[in-house]
């Protein structure tokens, strides 16, 4: 695929780092922070994982030299999780160490449930010696409360999202009301423990609840932020930033954009409507 199609362009910042950096400069000008993601997942050999990690090292150098305000987000299957936990840990540690040199921060995305435990194991191992790394927890998983309690006890920084993968009812809530209820409960637990919480959602019900709850409970703005995906709910993101809230957009880029785009559209039928609606509703 040589060029991004019209639709994908709205959700992916470009194929190369320069374009992504430009996109972040525009966001920063509106007081919106970013987390840059180099698209890619499920690499099958060490060479591919090393290439992916070198991309992140260059990205961290670029963020520093361009003086843009952006963290990085990555997936462990892109760093060799399918090869071995130890290999993946070592690859990841290099990135987290480089980020620390720049006082920057790495967020580990959460993938399908076959990876949840191993992702958390690697995260906990890393967090012992590196505090500039955060994790993602999916509110649709039934196991989430136990995971959150452990993370909260460490004051680990957590991004909460609903979860983007198709999971079975045995392990995951299917009803939106249950997922939202769990999302809120997870945030409450983490705030009580003193963790930083990134509320990653485009859902007005959860955004409005966050605004009300944080005001009522006097949760300082340093303890939470709103996160949205690049290209979605642009108006709402700007409004929140203008009102003084921390807002961070997840900005994906790279040549492996098709699976990300395809997943948003195809993996769950709800996302097709979500994306189509975003095109008109903004
Ligand atoms: P949805 O559940 O899609 O929508 C719920 C409701 O929100 C809608 O019914 C509507 O009321 C409202 N709404 C949504 N869009 C609009 C609009 N444009 N206009 C008006 N109302 C609207 N998933 C993972 O599994 N792992 C990850 O690591 C991960 N990281 C993420 C990082 C970020 C920053 C974000 C934002 C999402 C991430 N996700 C991740 C995806 C996430 O799990 C969800 O699949 C995705 O965000 C859709 O859920 P939602 O809460 O945003 O809204």
């Amino acid at each position: 695929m040589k060029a991004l199609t019209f639709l994908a362009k709205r959700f992916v910042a470009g194929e190369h780092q320069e374009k992504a950096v430009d996109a972040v400069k525009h966001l920063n000008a509106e007081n919106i922070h970013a987390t840059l993601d180099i698209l890619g997942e499920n690499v099958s050999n060490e060479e591919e994982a090393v290439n992916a990690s070198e991309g992140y090292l260059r990205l961290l150098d670029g963020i520093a030299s361009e003086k843009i305000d952006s963290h990085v987000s990555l997936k462990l299957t892109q760093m060799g999780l399918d090869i071995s936990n130890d290999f993946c840990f070592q690859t990841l540690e290099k990135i987290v160490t480089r980020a620390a040199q720049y006082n920057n921060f790495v967020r580990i995305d959460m993938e399908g449930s076959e990876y949840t435990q191993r992702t958390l194991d690697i995260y906990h191992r890393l967090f012992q010696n590196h505090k500039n790394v955060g994790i993602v927890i999916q509110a649709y998983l039934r196991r989430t409360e136990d995971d959150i309690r452990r993370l909260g006890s460490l004051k680990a920084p957590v991004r909460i999202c609903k979860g983007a993968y198709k999971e079975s009812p045995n392990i995951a809530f299917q009803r939106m009301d249950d997922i939202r209820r769990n999302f809120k409960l997870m945030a409450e637990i983490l705030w009580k423990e003193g963790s930083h919480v990134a509320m990653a959602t485009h859902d007005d019900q959860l955004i409005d609840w966050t605004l009300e709850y944080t005001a009522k409970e006097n949760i300082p703005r340093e303890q939470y932020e709103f996160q949205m995906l690049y290209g979605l709910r642009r108006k709402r993101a700007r409004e929140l930033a203008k009102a003084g809230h921390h807002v961070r957009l997840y900005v994906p880029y790279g040549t492996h954009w098709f699976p990300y785009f395809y997943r948003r559209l195809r993996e769950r039928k709800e996302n097709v409507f979500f994306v189509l609606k975003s095109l008109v509703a903004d």
Side-chain angles (χ1 to χ4, degrees), residues 115-277:
Y115 296 112
T116 311
Q117 190 57 53
R118 282 196 287 152
T119 302
L120 282 164
D121 290 345
I122 290 179
Y123 177 71
H124 281 292
R125 187 173 158 198
L126 200 62
F127 193 67
Q128 283 172 12
N129 296 318
H130 303 273
K131 299 302 172 207
N132 63 322
V133 59
I135 188 73
V136 179
I137 287 291
Q138 296 154 324
Y140 64 10
L141 290 186
R142 294 179 191 275
R143 59 173 286 163
T144 284
E145 185 169 346
D146 293 338
D147 296 332
I148 284 280
R149 291 203 183 275
R150 180 164 178 215
L151 291 163
S153 71
L154 300 169
K155 297 196 185 346
V158 177
R159 172 199 295 157
I160 312 177
C161 64
K162 286 179 183 163
Y165 300 83
K166 185 86 192 152
E167 302 290 0
S168 92
N170 297 341
I171 61 162
F173 298 112
Q174 308 290 318
R175 290 182 42 235
M176 189 59 93
D177 280 355
D178 292 332
I179 299 170
R180 285 194 182 110
R181 189 178 31 76
N182 207 32
F183 202 123
K184 293 175 192 171
L185 177 67
M186 299 309 110
E188 287 178 28
I189 295 171
L190 288 170
W191 280 321
K192 283 195 183 107
E193 294 284 359
S195 284
H196 182 274
V197 185
M199 302 292 279
T201 183
H202 313 93
D203 186 340
D204 278 329
Q205 279 195 38
L206 287 172
I207 295 169
D208 292 341
W209 174 83
T210 305
L211 293 172
E212 281 161 30
Y213 186 89
T214 52
K216 183 166 64 94
E217 298 295 323
N218 290 318
I219 313 278
R221 290 193 175 179
E222 295 65 43
Q223 222 193 316
Y224 69 95
E225 67 185 30
F226 294 99
Q227 293 195 351
M228 297 187 195
L229 300 177
Y230 179 77
L232 300 179
R233 311 256 17 224
R234 295 184 287 202
K235 192 160 163 266
R236 188 87 216 247
R238 279 193 208 111
E239 284 167 4
L240 288 165
K242 273 205 180 120
H245 297 282
H246 291 218
V247 178
R248 186 177 306 279
L249 292 204
Y250 183 103
V251 182
Y253 74 94
T255 49
H256 291 86
W257 56 268
F258 192 72
Y260 172 85
F261 180 63
Y262 184 80
R263 188 167 58 238
R264 296 257 90 75
L265 258 56
R266 291 291 173 87
E267 211 156 37
R268 297 176 79 211
K269 66 178 184 312
E270 295 89 330
N271 287 341
V272 177
F273 301 116
F274 176 64
V275 166
L276 289 176
K277 195 169 62 179

